[in-house]
Amino acid sequence: MTACGSTHREGLKAARLLMVLSSISPLFILWAIRGNSLIADRYFITFCALMVIVPNAFLLLRIWTARKQADRRELTVGTAEDHRDHLLVYLFAMLLPFYSQDLGNWRYLGASFAALAFIVFLFWHLNLHYMNLLFAALGFRVLTIYPPANGNTLTSNTRQAVITRRGSLAPGDRLVAYRLSDTVYLEAGE
């Protein structure tokens, strides 16, 4: 806490990093299908498979752990926004350019991995670790909720990303959700 306001530092850093990696796992599926002329398929496909399996397994483990430990919060909606447009930005800004990138020499491959590292850092730093095609494929929406103006102490001034099957949330709605990170929640019963 500072004198001029609150500073919120997101916890669960390793969890957030692995959730970001799970969000970019479709890129590794595309790369595995496409192949690479520099690295033998058995190594390249194994690497790509690990980059899909490990982060997504961690995400499922995080959901399971939150449920098992009853790591739930009751959230009250002040306002809610649907950010399906973020998914489109994600697809067009990240997946398509990287898929079309030439990985045929070491310099291009290195540049692609450096650019990917920058994107991972930005997703992690900007708390965009909820961007995951797996959620969309399973019929979930990601809604950003802001606390009510009445000063709800649980949610403070921090916005929350809620993964839910609901189409919308109205001001005043209360929901119980499992905590995946300090700002990302999965609605209970989902």
Side-chain angles (χ1 to χ4, degrees), residues 10 13 15-25 59 83 85-87 89-91 93-94 118-133 135 142-144 146 159-161 163 181 183-184:
E10 174 84 18
K13 291 179 182 190
R16 287 186 317 141
L17 178 62
L18 285 165
M19 288 170 72
V20 168
L21 292 176
S22 76
S23 73
I24 63 170
S25 62
L59 176 60
H83 290 292
D85 56 330
H86 285 185
L87 194 56
V89 168
Y90 161 76
L91 285 172
M94 202 204 54
F118 292 139
I119 288 173
V120 166
F121 173 75
L122 286 174
F123 271 51
W124 182 78
H125 183 71
L126 296 173
N127 287 330
L128 294 175
H129 50 285
Y130 60 84
M131 298 302 300
N132 195 309
L133 286 177
F135 294 138
V142 178
L143 302 174
T144 301
Y146 298 88
R159 65 186 172 147
Q160 313 290 334
I163 302 161
S181 76
T183 57
V184 177

Side-chain angles (χ1 to χ4, degrees), residues 24 50 56-57 65 68 77 82 107 123 141 143 151-152 186 189:
I24 63 170
L50 287 173
N56 283 295
T65 301
K68 183 174 188 236
V77 178
D82 187 351
R107 178 175 245 166
F123 271 51
R141 292 179 184 226
L143 302 174
N152 184 328
L186 175 68

Side-chain angles (χ1 to χ4, degrees), residues 15-54:
R16 287 186 317 141
L17 178 62
L18 285 165
M19 288 170 72
V20 168
L21 292 176
S22 76
S23 73
I24 63 170
S25 62
L27 175 63
F28 292 101
I29 294 170
L30 294 174
W31 277 356
I33 293 168
R34 185 175 177 189
N36 180 300
S37 61
L38 296 173
I39 303 168
D41 276 352
R42 68 176 179 240
Y43 299 117
F44 190 70
I45 291 173
T46 299
F47 169 75
C48 289
L50 287 173
M51 292 303 292
V52 171
I53 294 167
V54 171

Side-chain angles (χ1 to χ4, degrees), residues 149-184:
N150 67 0
N152 184 328
T153 58
L154 180 59
T155 58
S156 148
N157 292 323
T158 305
R159 65 186 172 147
Q160 313 290 334
V162 177
I163 302 161
T164 181
R165 291 192 194 272
R166 295 189 204 194
S168 63
L169 294 169
D173 280 354
R174 292 180 180 265
L175 56 117
V176 175
Y178 293 105
R179 182 176 69 104
L180 302 184
S181 76
D182 287 344
T183 57
V184 177

